[in-house]
């Protein structure tokens, strides 16, 4: 049993802090097909794991007992879709972004999707120039999925659901890359943005309200904002250049350096209301007060996505080994 102290209570984002069923019936290591290169990963409320396999143009569905079912993404004459970001759907399935494709995969294996050009998909309202290479997704405050994409040099934010299909929220006369999005504590969607075209400072934290109002907060010149979650303290937390950073909704920034980190990958809120992250072959825990602990994961080669399980364990995606590893940190004394 995982025993933790030092973390505050409270609710985080729906995607990361939501309790998940126990994984005790599954094997400690789940092997995926060779060259799967597991990327995004989410855990449904019924204990089902969903894993994006970009090199295979597929999404794996894994039952609580560890049975793996492959779901190749629909495709036409264009490039193979490469799934990355996954978001749990309120109906028990998932939403995904994959190259120029945006889609929904149900628990029964049915795809509803939208694409660009001649591969327009089968979703409601499917047509040309939709969805425009979505990069990041999140479940928004209105229970629709929000995503960002580019159109004719502009940055566009849209929402999508299974009844209406994609609907534009706002269009900005600028261009930048969005790395991650999350529903914030204030009813808006927040995101990490990089490489803004022709901007004095190219990295920032962005905020978008349901009525389409956009605001950004430039970050220091050495920042490299990546994965992003709403923390238990109602602040935004993100992976940064050699640190985990806290960004308050008032614009206050605090950085917590991670020792000997070649890179920082994914970030999640654990069931203990602390921040957990992966870096190379290790998993780390950070309290909202700044206390940090790191554990090496046995046999791990290149850790990426992680999800928390309610029994205190974590599922970790090992990209180089093409496996998922279940890991339970030891007793923590702080």
């Amino acid at each position: 049993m995982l025993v933790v102290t030092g973390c505050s209570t409270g609710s985080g984002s729906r995607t990361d802090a939501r309790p998940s069923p126990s994984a005790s019936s599954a094997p400690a290591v789940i092997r995926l097909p060779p060259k799967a290169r597991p990327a995004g990963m989410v855990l449904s409320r019924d204990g089902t794991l969903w894993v994006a396999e970009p090199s295979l143009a597929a999404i794996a569905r894994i039952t609580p007992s560890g049975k793996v079912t492959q779901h190749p993404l629909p495709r036409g004459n264009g490039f193979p879709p490469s799934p990355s970001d996954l978001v749990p759907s309120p109906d028990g399935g998932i939403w995904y972004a994959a190259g120029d494709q945006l889609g929904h995969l149900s628990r029964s294996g049915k795809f509803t999707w939208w694409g660009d050009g001649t591969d327009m998909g089968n979703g409601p309202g499917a047509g040309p120039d939709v969805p425009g290479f979505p990069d990041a997704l999140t479940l928004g405050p209105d229970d629709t999925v929000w995503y960002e994409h580019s159109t004719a040099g502009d940055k566009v934010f849209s929402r999508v659901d299974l009844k209406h299909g994609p609907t534009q929220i706002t269009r900005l006369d600028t261009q930048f890359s969005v790395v991650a999005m999350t529903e914030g504590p204030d009813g808006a969607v927040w995101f990490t943005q990089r490489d803004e075209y022709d901007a004095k400072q190219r990295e920032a934290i962005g905020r978008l309200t349901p009525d389409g109002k956009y605001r950004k907060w430039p970050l220091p010149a050495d920042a490299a904002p990546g994965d992003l979650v709403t923390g238990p303290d109602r602040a935004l937390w993100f992976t940064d250049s050699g640190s985990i950073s806290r960004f308050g909704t008032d614009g206050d920034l605090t950085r917590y350096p991670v020792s000997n980190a070649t890179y920082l990958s994914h970030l999640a809120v654990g069931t203990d209301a602390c921040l957990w992250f992966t870096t190379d072959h290790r998993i780390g825990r950070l309290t909202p007060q700044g206390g940090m602990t790191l554990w090496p994961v046995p046999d791990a080669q290149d850790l990426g996505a992680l999800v928390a399980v309610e029994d205190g364990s974590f599922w970790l995606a090992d990209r180089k080994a093409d496996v998922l590893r279940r890991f339970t940190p030891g007793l923590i004394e702080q």
Side-chain angles (χ1 to χ4, degrees):
M1 179 178 181
L2 177 66
V3 179
V4 294
T5 59
C7 293
S8 62
T9 59
S11 60
S13 67
R14 286 179 293 173
T15 301
D16 296 294
R18 179 182 293 165
S20 304
S22 172
S24 59
S25 62
V29 176
I30 296 176
R31 299 194 177 280
L32 300 173
K35 299 182 180 181
R37 305 291 189 267
M41 180 171 61
V42 295
L43 184 63
S44 297
R45 294 184 68 88
D46 64 357
T48 299
L49 269 172
W50 305 83
V51 184
E53 300 171 320
S55 296
L56 302 180
I59 293 173
R61 180 181 185 271
I62 304 170
T63 66
S65 65
K67 180 183 177 182
V68 181
T69 302
Q70 297 293 125
H71 294 282
L73 269 61
R75 56 176 296 187
N77 299 321
F79 293 105
S82 180
S84 53
D85 213 8
L86 304 181
V87 172
S89 176
D91 62 5
I94 58 163
W95 289 86
Y96 65 89
D100 64 351
Q101 188 177 128
L102 173 71
H104 175 275
L105 174 59
S106 72
R107 288 181 294 179
S108 64
K110 177 185 176 182
F111 281 96
T112 305
W113 62 285
W114 297 261
D116 285 345
T118 58
D119 302 330
M120 294 186 295
N122 62 359
D129 303 322
V130 175
F133 290 87
D135 290 324
L137 310 173
T138 190
L139 185 63
D142 54 2
D143 282 333
T144 66
V145 170
W146 290 34
Y147 66 100
E148 60 79 29
H149 55 110
S150 298
T151 300
D154 293 344
K155 180 56 56 177
V156 181
F157 289 85
S158 299
R159 58 169 62 91
V160 64
D161 60 36
L162 290 174
K163 182 177 180 180
H164 303 99
T167 304
Q168 182 173 302
I169 300 173
T170 193
R171 183 167 180 160
L172 307 176
D173 184 20
T174 186
Q175 190 59 266
F176 51 78
S177 297
V178 172
V179 184
M181 301 174 68
T182 188
E183 182 188 351
D186 55 356
V189 165
W190 293 73
F191 47 91
T192 48
Q193 62 179 71
R194 291 188 185 182
D195 303 322
E196 183 173 4
Y197 177 73
D198 206 25
K200 182 177 181 180
Q201 172 50 33
R202 305 181 72 191
E203 282 68 47
I205 297 293
R207 178 180 183 269
L208 185 68
T209 64
D211 59 357
K213 293 180 180 178
Y214 163 72
R215 182 183 176 185
K216 71 172 182 178
W217 288 261
L219 294 173
D222 62 342
D227 203 19
L228 173 77
V229 298
T230 296
D233 56 351
R234 295 180 62 81
L236 288 306
W237 293 77
F238 62 94
T239 58
D240 202 348
S241 178
S243 68
I244 302 297
S245 293
R246 179 190 186 275
F247 186 85
T249 54
D250 58 357
D252 182 59
L253 177 68
T254 306
R255 287 167 144 178
Y256 298 95
V258 181
S259 62
N260 302 316
T262 54
Y263 63 87
L264 293 164
S265 188
H266 287 245
L267 185 65
V269 178
T271 56
D272 59 349
C274 286
L275 287 305
W276 294 79
F277 58 92
T278 52
T279 174
D280 45 75
H281 61 281
R282 297 175 296 168
I283 182 172
R285 172 183 181 263
L286 176 65
T287 71
Q289 297 78 26
M292 188 178 297
T293 310
L294 288 159
W295 294 263
V297 177
D299 301 320
Q301 299 181 41
D302 182 20
L303 297 178
L306 79 161
V307 292
V309 185
E310 69 177 6
D311 63 3
S313 66
F314 292 85
W315 282 111
L316 310 173
D318 194 332
R319 296 172 289 203
K320 189 173 181 179
D322 292 321
V323 300
L324 308 180
R325 304 184 186 278
R326 192 170 79 243
F327 179 76
T328 302
L331 183 68
I332 303 170
E333 295 288 353
Q334 290 189 356

